[in-house]
Amino acid sequence: MYRAIQIFLLTLCLALPAFATVLKAEDTIHPLVDALGVGDFPEREAAIKALVASKDPNVGRILQELSDGKLFVSQDGGPVLLVGGTDDAPTFSDPITNEAVADIDPDTMLKVKINNALRGVISASVSQLTLLSPDRSARLSAAQDMLKDADASNLDLLNSALAQEKDGEVKKTMEAARAVMLLKSDASPEEKKKAIDTIAARGDRDALAILTTAMQTAPDDLKPALQKDMDSITDTLALWDVAQNIWYGLSLSSVLMLAAIGLSITFGVMGVVNMAHGEMVMLGAYTTYVVQEAIVDYLPNLADCSLAFAVPAAFLFTGLVGFVIERTVIRFLYKRPLETLLATWGISLILQQAVRSIFGPTNREVRNPSWMSGSFDLGGLDITWNRLWIIVFALVVFFALLMLLKRTPFGLQMRAVTQNRRMASSMGIRTAWVDAFTFALGSGVAGMAGVALSQIDNVSPNLGQAYIIDSFMVVVFGGVGNLWGTLVGAMSLGILNKFLEPYAGAVLGKILVLVLIILFIQKRPRGLFALKGRAVEA
């Protein structure tokens, strides 16, 4: 018994300091919380700033509850309380301890009102408090908010957070926010010069905008340094803009290559102008939609891997459709190019209307998997994951087709038929079946292009029409039936388009590209990489 009493007294002695600390904190913050319900909006703004200055861990939650309209005060005055329960049966509790408060008449309670100005103060205050959060993303978001707001009155709070910050990216953002605050404050010219250097070191558009704004109110002795840093950032951004245009061009090029590579194979071997090639791309995109919906419904755990099922499904389905089209229509129209063009154009209209009848005319959403969502910065480049993976996918498809043509018997037969159809037939190659499977292969590759396009474009019955003309230009420019020509042609036209668009606009840019291709073909009718084929021999 005596031993138990000793343990109890020892535990009580150890707990008393902590209890006293908590009690002291509550005694300190309670009057500040109650001040939220007293006076007009200026007084409440002062109470909010006093709460923030207390650095109590409950302040962020209390301010959010104030913003949500959950804090009430009696019309006769008294403590501020937190409302809960339902509208018909509200309950009230202490906003700090969450302890229930009994014997409160709801009819006597009034909501602590705030206006838009106070909402802005609350939002900024919550951001400030998250500067000390253990969550890195919360601190980074708060630092970015303070960089945008840059209220010099928060300089002391930011300095204390900056002294504790260990993360490099968060600290860099805090330092930039501190530099902007210094420019707006009454700091010395030396401190402002260091602040200008800190901002200029960021080298981005935000830094340029900050320095441009600072230039308007800067003293004359700081303006030369500001102008020098602004000129340096402008030159750097111009170089990054060129690099960004190249990236956009590569992204467009990968899409064009996927859409054109199947057309190049078909045109090179068979000499068929396939106006339904764009609809093969469209069918591949809709196959992706169907596969994704089926996996989400029946195998939700594999939703992030839906593209792994969609790629082979789109290749097989569109390849089968292409095989049927060749066997039922196109094989009867060889050596009649005009009729082939009209027939495939009619097939494209039929396929578009069939898709409209099945799926409707509206766009269908194909969700990006998590590993294709978002973006990242590479220096001054903004690179999205879906575009990056499409470039990788396009190169994989290109080299897989190259290996098929160079290392397989079917590829050997295709090249033989392309170079000399009669000789290939005399050597026992069944040219009719080579044509059929070549058309199926080209359609299947177009279907895989549809899978890629579904990740960056709207899936609609008109999807293929946006790429068919550009695909033909790539094939003609690069050289009919030549994969390397398709690759170089797609890369050239994609990058050229993206360089012309900022200066000439999207429509005029495409017109200029078309004119340049026409002029080029006048000099090299077979394109960049000439390849002998049936069309050339004829």
Side-chain angles (χ1 to χ4, degrees):
M1 181 67 180
Y2 177 73
R3 181 66 174 170
I5 294 174
Q6 283 184 319
I7 294 174
F8 172 75
L9 292 175
L10 181 60
T11 304
L12 183 61
C13 291
L14 292 173
L16 277 175
F19 177 75
T21 301
V22 173
L23 184 60
K24 183 178 180 181
E26 291 181 3
D27 289 343
T28 302
I29 197 176
H30 260 125
L32 299 178
V33 174
D34 293 340
L36 293 173
V38 179
D40 294 328
F41 294 130
E43 286 80 3
R44 290 175 186 172
E45 181 177 351
I48 291 171
K49 292 183 178 179
L51 276 170
V52 174
S54 72
K55 300 182 181 180
D56 188 278
N58 296 301
V59 172
R61 174 179 56 82
I62 293 171
L63 291 182
Q64 190 60 53
E65 290 165 349
L66 174 62
S67 179
D68 295 339
K70 295 182 178 180
L71 295 187
F72 281 69
V73 65
S74 173
Q75 58 188 9
D76 298 328
V80 170
L81 299 177
L82 175 65
V83 70
T86 63
D87 293 339
D88 296 331
T91 60
F92 295 91
S93 60
D94 188 292
I96 302 173
T97 63
N98 288 323
E99 293 179 358
V101 179
D103 301 328
I104 299 295
D105 183 4
D107 295 332
T108 65
M109 301 299 289
L110 301 175
K111 183 188 296 185
V112 178
K113 295 183 179 179
I114 58 175
N115 58 10
N116 289 334
L118 278 182
R119 286 190 178 90
V121 172
I122 292 171
S123 177
S125 300
V126 172
S127 297
Q128 296 165 25
L129 291 169
T130 53
L131 283 173
L132 304 175
S133 170
D135 183 7
R136 176 193 176 278
S137 60
R139 298 197 309 276
L140 179 60
S141 177
Q144 290 170 343
D145 290 341
M146 293 198 75
L147 178 59
K148 294 176 183 177
D149 182 58
D151 186 354
S153 62
N154 298 322
L155 191 56
D156 292 337
L157 179 63
L158 183 60
N159 285 334
S160 62
L162 191 57
Q164 303 175 33
E165 187 57 55
K166 304 297 182 183
D167 186 273
E169 183 180 2
V170 178
K171 191 169 186 177
K172 184 178 179 181
T173 306
M174 287 183 178
E175 289 173 346
R178 180 179 180 276
V180 178
M181 292 178 186
L182 285 173
L183 288 179
K184 293 183 177 181
S185 69
D186 296 329
S188 65
E190 292 77 11
E191 288 181 313
K192 288 189 175 183
K193 179 63 174 65
K194 292 180 180 178
I196 291 171
D197 293 338
T198 301
I199 296 169
R202 290 174 62 89
D204 55 12
R205 298 186 190 280
D206 290 337
L208 182 61
I210 293 169
L211 294 179
T212 303
T213 303
M215 178 67 109
Q216 299 172 2
T217 57
D220 292 338
D221 57 337
L222 287 179
K223 286 185 177 180
L226 279 169
Q227 189 62 52
K228 180 180 178 181
D229 289 333
M230 290 167 58
D231 293 341
S232 176
I233 293 175
T234 301
D235 294 340
T236 302
L237 289 177
L239 294 176
W240 281 117
D241 285 342
V242 172
Q244 191 73 58
N245 282 334
I246 293 175
W247 165 252
Y248 288 150
L250 290 175
S251 177
L252 175 62
S253 298
S254 64
V255 174
L256 288 179
M257 186 181 71
L258 283 172
I261 197 167
L263 186 65
S264 177
I265 294 172
T266 304
F267 197 14
V269 176
M270 306 168 62
V272 173
V273 180
N274 181 16
M275 295 300 295
H277 187 76
E279 277 54 54
M280 299 297 108
V281 175
M282 177 264 293
L283 290 179
Y286 273 97
T287 303
T288 307
Y289 166 74
V290 172
V291 170
Q292 187 178 83
E293 292 299 306
I295 290 177
V296 169
D297 290 340
Y298 299 106
L299 298 170
N301 294 332
L302 298 178
D304 233 22
C305 305
S306 60
L307 291 184
F309 299 93
V311 170
F315 177 79
L316 293 174
F317 176 69
T318 54
L320 178 61
V321 171
F323 183 85
V324 171
I325 291 173
E326 197 281 335
R327 288 286 87 189
T328 57
V329 177
I330 293 177
R331 74 187 183 101
F332 300 107
L333 301 174
Y334 287 135
K335 297 183 180 181
R336 297 159 63 184
L338 181 60
E339 286 86 344
T340 304
L341 188 149
L342 292 175
T344 53
W345 180 60
I347 291 172
S348 74
L349 297 179
I350 293 172
L351 291 175
Q352 288 183 45
Q353 189 55 48
V355 169
R356 286 192 182 93
S357 300
I358 297 172
F359 296 99
T362 57
N363 296 340
R364 295 290 176 169
E365 179 186 4
V366 176
R367 295 174 292 276
N368 289 341
S370 60
W371 48 274
M372 289 186 70
S373 302
S375 63
F376 65 95
D377 293 330
L378 183 63
L381 297 179
D382 181 28
I383 297 178
T384 56
W385 282 107
N386 57 352
R387 295 276 182 176
L388 179 61
W389 282 114
I390 288 174
I391 291 176
V392 173
F393 177 68
L395 292 176
V396 169
V397 172
F398 174 81
F399 285 108
L401 285 175
L402 200 62
M403 293 298 294
L404 175 68
L405 292 178
K406 299 294 184 181
R407 304 293 182 183
T408 65
F410 177 66
L412 179 62
Q413 293 177 6
M414 281 180 58
R415 287 184 287 129
V417 172
T418 301
Q419 293 172 11
N420 195 318
R421 172 174 291 270
R422 292 179 180 178
M423 181 62 72
S425 178
S426 67
M427 296 295 292
I429 295 176
R430 302 175 66 181
T431 57
W433 285 106
V434 170
D435 289 339
F437 284 111
T438 299
F439 199 88
L441 176 63
S443 300
V445 173
M448 290 194 292
V451 177
L453 285 174
S454 69
Q455 302 301 303
I456 59 174
D457 207 342
N458 295 322
V459 177
S460 68
N462 299 321
L463 173 64
Q465 295 300 306
Y467 295 94
I468 185 65
I469 301 301
D470 288 338
S471 298
F472 273 111
M473 286 197 295
V474 168
V475 172
V476 173
F477 176 65
V480 174
N482 191 298
L483 294 187
W484 286 107
T486 303
L487 175 64
V488 174
M491 294 298 172
S492 302
L493 295 184
I495 293 174
L496 181 60
N497 263 306
K498 288 303 177 182
F499 269 101
L500 289 176
E501 280 182 8
Y503 308 103
V507 176
L508 184 56
K510 286 186 178 296
I511 294 174
L512 291 175
V513 170
L514 180 60
V515 170
L516 291 174
I517 289 177
I518 292 173
L519 295 176
F520 176 80
I521 291 175
Q522 298 299 316
K523 298 294 183 181
R524 292 182 64 92
R526 299 186 189 180
L528 282 174
F529 296 87
L531 183 69
K532 287 187 176 181
R534 184 171 61 185
V536 177
E537 293 168 358

